[in-house]
Amino acid sequence: MIEAMHLLRAFDRQLHRIGIDGYLLLLLGTVGLATLLPARGTAASVASDSVSVAVGLLFFLYGARLSPREALAGARHWRLHLLILGSTFVLFPLLGEATRLLPSAVLAPQLATGVLFLTLLSSTVQSSIAFTSMARGNVAAAICAATFSSLVGIVLTPLLAAWLLADAAGVQISGQQILDIVLQLLVPFALGQLLRRWVAPWLRRHRWLTILVDRGSILLIVYTAFSEGVTEGIWSRVTIGQLLWLAAICLAMLTLVLLFTGTVSRRLGFSRADRITAQFCGSKKSLANGLPLATILFPAAAVGMAVLPLMLFHQLQLMVCTVLARHWGRQPDPAADHGQE
């Protein structure tokens, strides 16, 4: 297993050298596999049960990996964190609500629900930190900001979903769904936090396991969701024109948020490093957190359509932020900027 992970990492590094994200290829390949060979009958039931186990394990590992002390250490950057949280949990949902005003010919109701859902999610952790580092931003603040966003999102995203998605087509927030969220996400996370003292050192020595569960669970969720979608005729319900409109809407939202975080951070007098952190942490949406939650909130037949906007937005944010990070990284970084808040 470890040797296989080393081979996959080496292959991924080779792809990165030519500008290709290997994991994005795996995601697209998983969608293709589900389209050609969807899980049906008993296989679908096994896949669904496997998703539940994988999601619980994933959030247990999140709890074991996140250090409360590390999160609290960044509290002194309160203006930066407020901007990022405001962008993530206020501006994004407002933009999501605005997209529901678009005519159904532009954005079908089920896709509109998916767009609103993605706007309720927390920021990413890994890519936010990676892009901040690439752009020579405040990496320590990015770690804290992304951690805060993940911790807040575990509680706030389901609450926002219960409020804003309650009247969406196919979504009914029930007591059973709230219990599922608690049992499948919060309980494993809390257990990971409780056992972190003993588990974290072992995880640091076996990082391949965290990577395998993190990325493997997402691929499993994508396969299961799109298998169900294919059996329900997802691709017959989405036209090329609708996909292009969806891509344009996702790109427009991402652009508006990047402009907002950049402009506000500049007006607040943030250092160059902190402006970079605000843009990259405030503009991301977590695929890793969104997909498990979608399997709980949406009926099985609606999951594929609901997560399609999130998957598209995820790929667009990676591509746009890669270009932006390289742009920031090439710019001169005056020494006077460092250390300012």
Side-chain angles (χ1 to χ4, degrees):
M1 179 66 72
I2 297 176
E3 291 181 0
M5 288 297 296
H6 286 317
L7 288 173
L8 286 174
R9 286 181 186 174
F11 181 65
D12 190 48
R13 284 194 294 269
Q14 292 297 323
L15 290 175
H16 269 291
R17 288 178 182 175
I18 57 176
I20 298 175
D21 189 315
Y23 192 59
L24 286 182
L25 288 181
L26 282 176
L27 281 173
L28 293 174
T30 302
V31 173
L33 178 63
T35 301
L36 296 173
L37 297 171
R40 302 176 187 272
T42 303
S45 299
V46 171
S48 179
D49 292 340
S50 299
V51 165
S52 298
V53 173
V55 167
L57 181 57
L58 178 66
F59 275 78
F60 171 80
L61 293 178
Y62 281 165
R65 284 160 51 189
L66 290 177
S67 167
R69 183 177 301 175
E70 182 180 61
L72 292 174
R76 64 191 184 92
H77 296 286
W78 63 272
R79 291 194 306 161
L80 174 62
H81 298 315
L82 282 180
L83 172 58
I84 292 169
L85 290 175
S87 173
T88 303
F89 296 112
V90 178
L91 176 60
F92 258 117
L94 288 174
L95 293 174
E97 277 290 301
T99 63
R100 300 176 79 175
L101 300 176
L102 295 171
S104 57
V106 172
L107 192 63
Q110 286 183 304
L111 291 178
T113 299
V115 170
L116 179 58
F117 171 69
L118 84 84
T119 64
L120 308 181
L121 299 172
S122 62
S123 179
T124 61
V125 176
Q126 294 94 334
S127 63
S128 293
I129 296 168
F131 285 128
T132 300
S133 176
M134 186 189 303
R136 292 182 295 158
N138 188 339
V139 176
I143 292 172
C144 295
T147 301
F148 284 158
S149 182
S150 293
L151 291 172
V152 170
I154 287 174
V155 176
L156 190 55
T157 297
L159 292 177
L160 288 171
W163 177 30
L164 298 175
L165 291 175
D167 62 341
V171 181
Q172 295 179 350
I173 309 299
S174 64
Q176 182 59 49
Q177 285 174 307
I178 294 172
L179 181 61
D180 288 343
I181 291 170
V182 171
L183 293 178
Q184 215 172 333
L185 307 185
L186 298 184
V187 170
F189 180 85
L191 186 60
Q193 285 280 286
L194 289 173
L195 299 179
R196 185 180 183 280
R197 178 178 177 183
W198 299 277
V199 176
W202 187 85
L203 287 177
R204 282 194 290 269
R205 293 194 303 269
H206 301 84
R207 299 185 69 180
W208 61 270
L209 178 62
T210 302
I211 296 172
L212 181 65
V213 174
D214 192 4
R215 300 195 169 195
S217 61
I218 292 175
L219 294 176
L220 181 59
I221 291 168
V222 168
Y223 176 73
T224 304
F226 275 88
S227 289
E228 185 68 34
V230 168
T231 59
E232 295 293 329
I234 181 176
W235 297 123
S236 64
R237 287 182 283 160
V238 181
T239 65
I240 295 297
Q242 287 177 317
L243 285 175
L244 291 176
W245 272 116
L246 180 60
I249 290 166
C250 289
L251 188 59
M253 285 199 304
L254 179 59
T255 301
L256 287 172
V257 173
L258 286 170
L259 290 173
F260 172 82
T261 51
T263 301
V264 173
S265 60
R266 190 176 297 106
R267 292 288 179 86
L268 291 174
F270 285 179
S271 67
R272 174 188 182 276
D274 283 349
R275 293 200 306 271
I276 290 171
T277 303
Q279 282 203 298
F280 287 127
C281 293
S283 63
K284 300 288 184 304
K285 288 297 176 179
S286 176
L287 185 71
N289 292 347
L291 290 179
L293 188 58
T295 62
I296 299 173
L297 290 178
F298 294 95
V303 172
M305 289 284 281
V307 301
L308 188 59
L310 174 58
M311 292 187 61
L312 186 55
F313 185 88
H314 178 77
Q315 295 181 49
L316 288 172
Q317 75 182 8
L318 291 180
M319 290 186 287
V320 170
C321 289
T322 297
V323 174
L324 190 60
R326 288 174 177 171
H327 170 74
W328 275 106
R330 286 193 296 265
Q331 289 186 348
D333 184 12
D337 263 354
H338 292 291
Q340 294 179 7
E341 295 181 15

